[in-house]
Amino acid sequence: MAKTVIKSYSLSEMKDEYIGEIGTLERDKYEYELSMDVLGRMIKTARKERNLTQEQLGELIGVKKAQISKLESSANSATIDTIIKVFKALKAEISFKVKIENKNLLVS
């Protein structure tokens, strides 16, 4: 009886194969959308930890409930200014990491 060998792949290898390698337009778009999705989830989690409704958070920063809902489902269309206002209203610390030519810059 022949032994079957199953090849395993890392997540990075799967992304390279099915989405595109790092630096390609498809991969950059995927990574950006994933980041915005994670950011939206962080906002939702922080809001719930503060026991605020979407409407209450919207009132704190001067936007409608629908905008908070949209932001939590994906932060794609949000401006940095809006995101900063949201985290300030939630009394949450936020920092940004910018990478320029293999040098990391942290902004908080």
Side-chain angles (χ1 to χ4, degrees), residues 39-60:
L39 182 59
R41 289 182 191 188
M42 288 191 305
I43 291 168
K44 184 176 185 175
T45 299
R47 175 183 60 78
K48 286 185 170 188
E49 285 182 11
R50 297 286 187 244
N51 295 313
L52 293 172
T53 65
Q54 289 177 337
E55 187 170 358
Q56 290 168 327
L57 178 56
E59 288 173 6
L60 287 173

Side-chain angles (χ1 to χ4, degrees), residues 51-99:
N51 295 313
L52 293 172
T53 65
Q54 289 177 337
E55 187 170 358
Q56 290 168 327
L57 178 56
E59 288 173 6
L60 287 173
I61 65 166
V63 301
K64 304 238 181 253
K65 174 188 179 284
Q67 288 176 277
I68 298 299
S69 176
K70 186 175 179 183
L71 182 63
E72 289 180 354
S73 65
S74 175
N76 273 359
S77 62
T79 64
I80 292 292
D81 186 50
T82 300
I83 292 169
I84 291 170
K85 284 180 185 178
V86 166
F87 281 112
K88 280 186 178 181
L90 293 170
K91 297 180 176 86
E93 187 176 313
I94 185 171
S95 63
F96 297 93
K97 181 173 116 176
V98 177
K99 190 170 186 176

